Amino acid sequence: MACDFLVTGCRGRLGRDLVASFSADHSVRGVDLEEFDIRDRERTLEVIRKVGPGIVLHAAAYTDVDGCEGNRELAMGANADGAENVALACREVGARMVYYSTDYVFDGEADRPYTEGDQTDPQTVYGQSKLAGERAVKNVLDDYVILRIAWLYGRHGRNFVKTVIKLGFQQRHDLHGGREIAPLKVVDDQFGNPCWTMDIARQTRTVLSGQLTGLFHATSEGETSWYGFTQAIFAALDIDVVVEACTSDEFPRPAPRPRRSTMTNQRLNEAGLNVMPDWKTSLETFLHEHGKELVHEL
Ligand SMILES: NC(=O)c1ccc[n+]([C@@H]2O[C@H](COP(=O)([O-])OP(=O)(O)OC[C@H]3O[C@@H](n4cnc5c(N)ncnc54)[C@H](OP(=O)(O)O)[C@@H]3O)[C@@H](O)[C@H]2O)c1
């Protein structure tokens, strides 16, 4: 039976909030790896033909940035070929497609926020695979939307906000137990735009209602470092945690992280359709609405 929206990656961080948001006033079908693997072209075509969606919100991806670094084949398979397969299926059934891309398509060396017109130069396999996915979608479809998003957090799945809250409470537990506490060290030399998944869902709705097509940056306003983000999390929860700024050299990772991958929503602003709030306001709203549940689940 035909439905308004098909959400791929529906059990992921973003996918779950997309389903929640769009289900309020549309028929929505969610699919994930359990149903089919987007690397399988025939199966992807078969499922999308059967579901017959008007719009596909493509949130499925292999998102383990360090994992991608050691597994280029899987990264390109899921993020580039998978996106192409979904785009081909959209073309066949006449569906619009929204593809979620990333700030990691940039090298992070610019001294100002990136706009949609800036040169891409991904430094990681993940970034390369997502950029290849963007190109595949553009090659196959005329009616597509690419939203470049970044630093996701939200109610579902593992994310930085949850990790930091857990570590903060561990430190307080040690303090109350009379044990020596170690400051929570967080890198202060990588900058970006933290984004709440619900804001991305709202921005997606706005873009689609405006009938826009093409590539758009869609991140929260303003930038911060992981250290600044951490401080804002504890301030919003009103808990005292000893946090210490450090450099990326102290936390070497298999995939190099961009130094400053901050983006600006130039094209959404020009269209008058930028509804992304300031990152700190959003974080405060998220923690006001969900902070207690997150702490309860520790
Ligand atoms: N997370 C971020 O900070 C961030 C930043 C910028 C852009 N993005 C982009 O935003 C989108 C959503 O990200 P997210 O963080 O919500 O991702 P996520 O939580 O990792 O969810 C992705 C979902 O896709 C599924 N999946 C992986 N490979 C698949 C395949 N071959 N076939 C079908 N399903 C597959 C995953 O299943 P398994 O979990 O079983 O593997 C998972 O349920 C992605 O396109 C991502 O590249 C994310």
Side-chain angles (χ1 to χ4, degrees), residues 9 11-15 32-33 36-39 58-63 78 100-103 126 130 149-152:
R11 280 184 268 285
R13 280 170 281 250
L14 177 61
D32 210 306
L33 203 45
F36 71 102
D37 189 324
I38 52 171
R39 290 176 297 165
H58 180 48
Y62 177 38
T63 59
Y100 295 94
S101 189
T102 169
D103 53 327
Y126 171 71
K130 292 293 298 181
I149 59 179
W151 291 29
L152 289 187

Short mmCIF file of all heavy atoms in Angstrom, two decimals, residues 9 11-15 32-33 36-39 58-63 78 100-103 126 130 149-152, ligand 1:
data_model
loop_
_atom_site.label_atom_id
_atom_site.label_comp_id
_atom_site.label_asym_id
_atom_site.label_seq_id
_atom_site.Cartn_x
_atom_site.Cartn_y
_atom_site.Cartn_z
N GLY A 9 16.89 3.57 7.62
CA GLY A 9 17.65 3.77 8.85
C GLY A 9 16.73 4.17 10.00
O GLY A 9 17.10 4.97 10.87
N ARG A 11 15.75 2.83 12.61
CA ARG A 11 16.12 2.52 14.01
C ARG A 11 17.37 3.27 14.46
O ARG A 11 17.89 3.03 15.54
CB ARG A 11 16.29 1.01 14.19
CG ARG A 11 14.95 0.31 14.34
CD ARG A 11 15.09 -1.17 14.61
NE ARG A 11 15.07 -1.95 13.39
CZ ARG A 11 13.97 -2.22 12.67
NH1 ARG A 11 12.80 -1.77 13.06
NH2 ARG A 11 14.04 -2.94 11.58
N GLY A 12 17.84 4.19 13.64
CA GLY A 12 19.03 4.97 13.97
C GLY A 12 18.67 6.22 14.76
O GLY A 12 17.50 6.49 15.04
N ARG A 13 19.70 6.98 15.11
CA ARG A 13 19.52 8.23 15.89
C ARG A 13 18.53 9.17 15.22
O ARG A 13 17.55 9.61 15.81
CB ARG A 13 20.88 8.96 16.01
CG ARG A 13 21.80 8.42 17.05
CD ARG A 13 23.16 9.06 16.90
NE ARG A 13 23.89 8.42 15.81
CZ ARG A 13 24.96 7.63 15.98
NH1 ARG A 13 25.45 7.44 17.17
NH2 ARG A 13 25.55 7.06 14.96
N LEU A 14 18.81 9.48 13.96
CA LEU A 14 17.95 10.43 13.24
C LEU A 14 16.67 9.76 12.77
O LEU A 14 15.58 10.33 12.89
CB LEU A 14 18.72 11.00 12.04
CG LEU A 14 17.94 11.96 11.14
CD1 LEU A 14 17.47 13.18 11.91
CD2 LEU A 14 18.81 12.40 9.95
N GLY A 15 16.81 8.54 12.25
CA GLY A 15 15.66 7.84 11.68
C GLY A 15 14.49 7.75 12.65
O GLY A 15 13.34 7.97 12.27
N ASP A 32 14.93 -0.69 8.01
CA ASP A 32 16.33 -0.66 8.46
C ASP A 32 17.01 -1.95 8.01
O ASP A 32 16.41 -2.76 7.30
CB ASP A 32 16.38 -0.47 9.99
CG ASP A 32 17.64 0.28 10.41
OD1 ASP A 32 18.73 -0.16 10.03
OD2 ASP A 32 17.53 1.31 11.10
N LEU A 33 18.23 -2.13 8.45
CA LEU A 33 19.03 -3.27 8.02
C LEU A 33 18.32 -4.60 8.22
O LEU A 33 18.51 -5.54 7.44
CB LEU A 33 20.36 -3.25 8.79
CG LEU A 33 21.58 -3.94 8.20
CD1 LEU A 33 21.77 -3.64 6.74
CD2 LEU A 33 22.82 -3.54 8.99
N PHE A 36 16.12 -4.97 4.94
CA PHE A 36 16.96 -5.19 3.76
C PHE A 36 18.20 -4.31 3.83
O PHE A 36 18.24 -3.31 4.54
CB PHE A 36 16.19 -4.94 2.45
CG PHE A 36 15.87 -3.49 2.19
CD1 PHE A 36 16.63 -2.74 1.29
CD2 PHE A 36 14.80 -2.87 2.82
CE1 PHE A 36 16.33 -1.42 1.03
CE2 PHE A 36 14.50 -1.54 2.58
CZ PHE A 36 15.26 -0.82 1.68
N ASP A 37 19.21 -4.75 3.04
CA ASP A 37 20.49 -4.06 3.00
C ASP A 37 20.49 -3.17 1.75
O ASP A 37 20.29 -3.68 0.63
CB ASP A 37 21.61 -5.11 2.93
CG ASP A 37 22.99 -4.50 3.09
OD1 ASP A 37 23.21 -3.37 2.60
OD2 ASP A 37 23.85 -5.16 3.69
N ILE A 38 20.70 -1.88 1.94
CA ILE A 38 20.63 -0.97 0.78
C ILE A 38 21.76 -1.22 -0.22
O ILE A 38 21.72 -0.68 -1.33
CB ILE A 38 20.63 0.52 1.21
CG1 ILE A 38 21.81 0.83 2.14
CG2 ILE A 38 19.30 0.91 1.85
CD1 ILE A 38 22.00 2.30 2.43
N ARG A 39 22.73 -2.03 0.13
CA ARG A 39 23.77 -2.37 -0.85
C ARG A 39 23.23 -3.32 -1.91
O ARG A 39 23.83 -3.48 -2.96
CB ARG A 39 24.98 -3.01 -0.14
CG ARG A 39 25.75 -2.01 0.70
CD ARG A 39 26.86 -2.70 1.46
NE ARG A 39 26.34 -3.66 2.41
CZ ARG A 39 27.06 -4.61 3.02
NH1 ARG A 39 28.35 -4.72 2.76
NH2 ARG A 39 26.50 -5.43 3.88
N HIS A 58 16.24 9.36 3.42
CA HIS A 58 17.28 8.33 3.44
C HIS A 58 18.29 8.61 4.56
O HIS A 58 19.27 9.33 4.37
CB HIS A 58 17.97 8.28 2.07
CG HIS A 58 19.05 7.27 1.99
ND1 HIS A 58 18.88 5.98 2.41
CD2 HIS A 58 20.35 7.36 1.57
CE1 HIS A 58 20.01 5.30 2.25
NE2 HIS A 58 20.92 6.13 1.74
N ALA A 59 18.02 7.99 5.72
CA ALA A 59 18.89 8.21 6.90
C ALA A 59 19.75 6.99 7.19
O ALA A 59 20.53 7.01 8.15
CB ALA A 59 18.03 8.55 8.12
N ALA A 60 19.63 5.94 6.38
CA ALA A 60 20.48 4.76 6.61
C ALA A 60 21.90 5.05 6.13
O ALA A 60 22.08 5.65 5.07
CB ALA A 60 19.92 3.56 5.87
N ALA A 61 22.88 4.66 6.91
CA ALA A 61 24.28 4.83 6.51
C ALA A 61 25.15 4.04 7.46
O ALA A 61 24.71 3.69 8.56
CB ALA A 61 24.67 6.31 6.54
N TYR A 62 26.36 3.77 7.02
CA TYR A 62 27.37 3.20 7.91
C TYR A 62 28.09 4.40 8.53
O TYR A 62 28.86 5.09 7.86
CB TYR A 62 28.32 2.31 7.10
CG TYR A 62 29.46 1.70 7.88
CD1 TYR A 62 29.30 1.25 9.20
CD2 TYR A 62 30.71 1.55 7.29
CE1 TYR A 62 30.36 0.67 9.90
CE2 TYR A 62 31.77 0.96 7.98
CZ TYR A 62 31.59 0.53 9.28
OH TYR A 62 32.64 -0.03 9.96
N THR A 63 27.78 4.69 9.81
CA THR A 63 28.18 5.98 10.41
C THR A 63 29.35 5.88 11.39
O THR A 63 29.69 6.88 12.01
CB THR A 63 26.99 6.61 11.16
OG1 THR A 63 26.55 5.70 12.17
CG2 THR A 63 25.84 6.92 10.22
N ALA A 78 27.74 0.94 1.55
CA ALA A 78 26.53 1.42 2.23
C ALA A 78 26.25 2.89 1.89
O ALA A 78 25.12 3.28 1.61
CB ALA A 78 26.68 1.25 3.74
N TYR A 100 20.78 12.58 3.71
CA TYR A 100 21.46 13.28 4.80
C TYR A 100 22.96 13.11 4.64
O TYR A 100 23.48 11.98 4.68
CB TYR A 100 20.97 12.77 6.16
CG TYR A 100 19.51 13.09 6.35
CD1 TYR A 100 18.53 12.16 6.03
CD2 TYR A 100 19.13 14.35 6.79
CE1 TYR A 100 17.18 12.48 6.15
CE2 TYR A 100 17.77 14.68 6.92
CZ TYR A 100 16.82 13.73 6.59
OH TYR A 100 15.49 14.06 6.71
N SER A 101 23.66 14.23 4.48
CA SER A 101 25.12 14.18 4.33
C SER A 101 25.77 14.84 5.55
O SER A 101 25.10 15.05 6.57
CB SER A 101 25.53 14.85 3.02
OG SER A 101 26.91 14.61 2.79
N THR A 102 27.03 15.18 5.45
CA THR A 102 27.80 15.48 6.65
C THR A 102 28.80 16.62 6.46
O THR A 102 29.26 16.87 5.34
CB THR A 102 28.58 14.20 7.05
OG1 THR A 102 29.53 14.51 8.06
CG2 THR A 102 29.34 13.60 5.87
N ASP A 103 29.17 17.24 7.57
CA ASP A 103 30.23 18.25 7.58
C ASP A 103 31.60 17.61 7.26
O ASP A 103 32.53 18.32 6.89
CB ASP A 103 30.29 18.94 8.96
CG ASP A 103 30.40 17.95 10.11
OD1 ASP A 103 29.83 16.84 10.01
OD2 ASP A 103 31.04 18.28 11.12
N TYR A 126 34.91 7.81 5.66
CA TYR A 126 33.49 8.13 5.90
C TYR A 126 33.08 9.34 5.06
O TYR A 126 32.08 9.30 4.33
CB TYR A 126 33.26 8.38 7.39
CG TYR A 126 31.89 8.92 7.71
CD1 TYR A 126 30.75 8.12 7.61
CD2 TYR A 126 31.71 10.26 8.10
CE1 TYR A 126 29.49 8.63 7.90
CE2 TYR A 126 30.46 10.76 8.39
CZ TYR A 126 29.35 9.95 8.29
OH TYR A 126 28.10 10.46 8.57
N LYS A 130 30.40 9.48 1.95
CA LYS A 130 29.17 10.30 2.00
C LYS A 130 29.14 11.28 0.82
O LYS A 130 28.08 11.55 0.26
CB LYS A 130 29.08 11.05 3.33
CG LYS A 130 28.85 10.15 4.55
CD LYS A 130 27.49 9.46 4.57
CE LYS A 130 26.33 10.43 4.61
NZ LYS A 130 25.03 9.69 4.66
N ILE A 149 24.31 17.79 7.55
CA ILE A 149 24.07 17.99 8.97
C ILE A 149 25.33 17.60 9.75
O ILE A 149 26.32 17.19 9.14
CB ILE A 149 22.83 17.17 9.43
CG1 ILE A 149 23.05 15.68 9.15
CG2 ILE A 149 21.59 17.65 8.69
CD1 ILE A 149 21.91 14.78 9.60
N ALA A 150 25.33 17.73 11.08
CA ALA A 150 26.57 17.50 11.82
C ALA A 150 26.31 17.19 13.29
O ALA A 150 25.22 17.49 13.81
CB ALA A 150 27.44 18.77 11.75
N TRP A 151 27.26 16.58 13.94
CA TRP A 151 27.32 16.42 15.41
C TRP A 151 25.93 16.12 16.02
O TRP A 151 25.45 16.85 16.90
CB TRP A 151 27.88 17.69 16.04
CG TRP A 151 29.33 17.98 15.80
CD1 TRP A 151 30.07 17.64 14.72
CD2 TRP A 151 30.21 18.72 16.67
NE1 TRP A 151 31.36 18.12 14.85
CE2 TRP A 151 31.47 18.78 16.04
CE3 TRP A 151 30.07 19.33 17.91
CZ2 TRP A 151 32.57 19.42 16.61
CZ3 TRP A 151 31.15 19.98 18.46
CH2 TRP A 151 32.39 20.02 17.83
N LEU A 152 25.31 15.03 15.56
CA LEU A 152 23.94 14.71 16.00
C LEU A 152 23.87 14.24 17.45
O LEU A 152 24.71 13.45 17.89
CB LEU A 152 23.36 13.59 15.13
CG LEU A 152 23.00 13.89 13.70
CD1 LEU A 152 22.28 12.70 13.09
CD2 LEU A 152 22.16 15.15 13.58
N1 LIG B 1 25.59 10.93 13.70
C1 LIG B 1 26.07 12.10 13.29
O1 LIG B 1 26.65 12.88 14.08
C2 LIG B 1 25.89 12.53 11.85
C3 LIG B 1 26.51 13.70 11.43
C4 LIG B 1 26.36 14.12 10.09
C5 LIG B 1 25.61 13.36 9.21
N2 LIG B 1 25.02 12.21 9.64
C6 LIG B 1 24.22 11.43 8.66
O2 LIG B 1 22.87 11.41 9.11
C7 LIG B 1 22.27 10.16 8.76
C8 LIG B 1 21.71 9.51 10.03
O3 LIG B 1 22.79 9.32 10.95
P1 LIG B 1 22.55 8.57 12.34
O4 LIG B 1 23.59 9.05 13.28
O5 LIG B 1 21.11 8.62 12.71
O6 LIG B 1 22.93 7.08 11.91
P2 LIG B 1 22.78 5.74 12.78
O7 LIG B 1 22.26 6.04 14.13
O8 LIG B 1 24.08 5.00 12.63
O9 LIG B 1 21.63 4.98 11.97
C9 LIG B 1 21.86 4.50 10.67
C10 LIG B 1 20.99 3.28 10.47
O10 LIG B 1 21.27 2.75 9.17
C11 LIG B 1 21.42 1.34 9.29
N3 LIG B 1 22.28 0.82 8.24
C12 LIG B 1 23.64 0.79 8.21
N4 LIG B 1 24.07 0.18 7.09
C13 LIG B 1 22.96 -0.18 6.40
C14 LIG B 1 22.74 -0.87 5.17
N5 LIG B 1 23.77 -1.29 4.46
N6 LIG B 1 21.47 -1.10 4.77
C15 LIG B 1 20.42 -0.68 5.51
N7 LIG B 1 20.55 -0.03 6.68
C16 LIG B 1 21.81 0.23 7.12
C17 LIG B 1 22.03 1.14 10.67
O11 LIG B 1 21.87 -0.18 11.11
P3 LIG B 1 22.95 -0.79 12.17
O12 LIG B 1 22.93 0.13 13.35
O13 LIG B 1 22.38 -2.16 12.44
O14 LIG B 1 24.26 -0.78 11.48
C18 LIG B 1 21.28 2.17 11.50
O15 LIG B 1 20.07 1.65 12.01
C19 LIG B 1 23.37 9.34 8.07
O16 LIG B 1 23.24 9.50 6.69
C20 LIG B 1 24.66 9.99 8.54
O17 LIG B 1 25.69 9.81 7.59
C21 LIG B 1 25.14 11.78 10.94
#
